Amino acid sequence: MALKSFEELYASADRLETPVGVAAAGGADSTVIQAMEFARRRGWIRPILAGNPAQIQEVASQLDIDLSPFEVIEDAPDSAVEAVRAVRSGNAQLLMKGQLPTPSLMKAVLDKENGLRTGKTICQIVLMEIKKDQRSFLMTDTGVTIAPTFEQKKQLIELIAETAQRLGESSPRVALMAATEKVTPAMPDTLETEKLVELAASGEFGTAIVQGPLSFDLAYASVAGQRKGIQGEVTGAADAMVFPDLLSANLTVKGIMYTANCSFGGVLRGTTAPVVFMSRADNVETRINSMSYALHLLNR
């Protein structure tokens, strides 16, 4: 089965019996408030905004959005403490990154006593949907871990495979990304890739099918595999892509976001609850997509 499309994720959220509490850190942002209002009207969420109440009200007034159905929690402009506390207390089931820097959010998320740690590597997993090809796939780590260790890469594979399973693919095809399809000491990450593929063959990652190293063209396009003579179950059919470092992942995902006809959303995994997590530059649609994605993970 293919990963669920955003249209399917919206339909899944429409079927929720009870709205889910979502706490946005840095809530004085027009895209945050518009996205949460959309989701509230659809019956998906119970919106909670953390930030400066006066600034939040000012933004909402400019948008002509009534804040009476929203809960507003006062918090420092550069803090996510109250939004994280809302999740820990059970008042919210999801956290959303609003208009604040990633380090401010992660400081609250990673707090040893009051954060959302699980002991696992925390990563951003982007769900990308390429409309012309009617194709969806996952990408990690596009936002948090700069240079994952071998043990962290194992956890990234586990997390992205489990995410793909929740999105409908029981045996996810996972591509371990590189600049080449050959194992070479000149690119040390390919040596680790070889070891990870061996672990996968031994059942380390359950039903996930893991192949690599694979360049992006080989992971995405079957024609590339045919031309290069590279075979395998993942070649041209990857459901999930695990990148060797943040630089390659972030450049790839943003290159696709800004040049392709696509829809996308991002979620943090490895936390006690999924975190709706995208760039402050992203638009309302992307925030709504990310919410539908996170809600599906939470309720499956």
Side-chain angles (χ1 to χ4, degrees):
M1 292 180 63
L3 300 181
K4 292 189 181 299
S5 66
F6 283 110
E7 182 179 355
E8 291 173 309
L9 294 178
Y10 279 39
S12 175
D14 285 338
R15 292 191 294 270
L16 288 171
E17 295 182 1
T18 305
V20 172
V22 179
D29 177 82
S30 61
T31 62
V32 170
I33 294 174
Q34 288 177 85
M36 294 186 92
E37 175 66 359
F38 173 93
R40 184 194 70 79
R41 288 179 177 271
R42 292 278 284 247
W44 298 0
I45 72 166
R46 178 172 50 80
I48 303 166
L49 298 169
N52 182 304
Q55 292 177 357
I56 291 171
Q57 182 59 65
E58 181 180 358
V59 174
S61 297
Q62 291 171 353
L63 297 169
D64 197 25
I65 291 176
D66 178 12
L67 282 184
S68 59
F70 289 63
E71 180 179 350
V72 178
I73 305 172
E74 186 165 4
D75 198 7
D78 61 349
S79 173
V81 172
E82 294 302 326
V84 169
R85 182 175 288 129
V87 175
R88 283 182 59 89
S89 70
N91 185 29
Q93 288 71 54
L94 292 177
L95 177 68
M96 175 189 283
K97 178 180 183 289
Q99 189 68 325
L100 80 170
T102 295
S104 296
L105 181 77
M106 295 308 298
K107 182 179 179 180
V109 168
L110 294 173
D111 185 278
K112 291 183 178 179
E113 294 185 2
N114 300 305
L116 304 179
R117 287 174 175 264
T118 62
K120 295 182 179 180
T121 297
I122 295 175
C123 62
Q124 182 191 37
I125 301 180
V126 166
L127 173 59
M128 179 66 65
E129 181 180 325
I130 306 298
K131 297 180 180 180
K132 72 179 179 67
D133 297 328
Q134 296 184 317
R135 175 85 182 277
S136 296
F137 55 93
L138 299 166
M139 309 170 75
T140 202
D141 178 4
T142 50
V144 180
T145 306
I146 296 172
T149 64
F150 183 77
E151 289 301 315
Q152 287 175 322
K153 287 178 181 178
K154 286 170 58 178
Q155 292 184 32
L156 294 181
I157 295 171
E158 291 168 357
L159 286 166
I160 205 168
E162 190 257 347
T163 301
Q165 288 165 344
R166 290 186 176 223
L167 291 172
E169 181 51 70
S170 58
S171 297
R173 292 158 294 196
V174 180
L176 304 182
M177 308 300 286
T180 177
E181 66 276 10
K182 296 179 180 180
V183 176
T184 170
M187 295 185 179
D189 56 279
T190 64
L191 302 179
E192 290 192 339
T193 294
E194 186 176 39
K195 295 176 183 177
L196 291 166
V197 170
E198 290 173 357
L199 286 175
S202 71
E204 178 78 14
F205 307 114
T207 60
I209 302 163
V210 180
Q211 186 179 343
L214 289 174
S215 52
F216 186 88
D217 56 342
L218 288 170
Y220 186 79
S222 57
V223 66
Q226 294 165 9
R227 289 171 178 167
K228 292 184 176 181
I230 304 297
Q231 300 178 339
E233 291 184 74
V234 183
T235 301
D239 300 301
M241 301 178 186
V242 178
F243 287 79
D245 52 40
L246 179 61
L247 176 63
S248 58
N250 193 268
L251 290 176
T252 302
V253 76
K254 287 187 176 176
I256 297 171
M257 287 174 180
Y258 282 93
T259 61
N261 180 17
C262 63
S263 296
F264 51 90
V267 171
L268 286 190
R269 302 302 316 274
T271 47
T272 56
V275 178
V276 178
F277 186 90
M278 290 301 295
S279 168
R280 287 174 288 167
D282 286 317
N283 59 22
V284 175
E285 179 186 0
T286 300
R287 291 194 181 278
I288 296 170
N289 289 344
S290 300
M291 269 193 283
S292 71
Y293 169 23
L295 287 166
H296 192 81
L297 298 179
L298 183 68
N299 290 282
R300 291 293 184 279

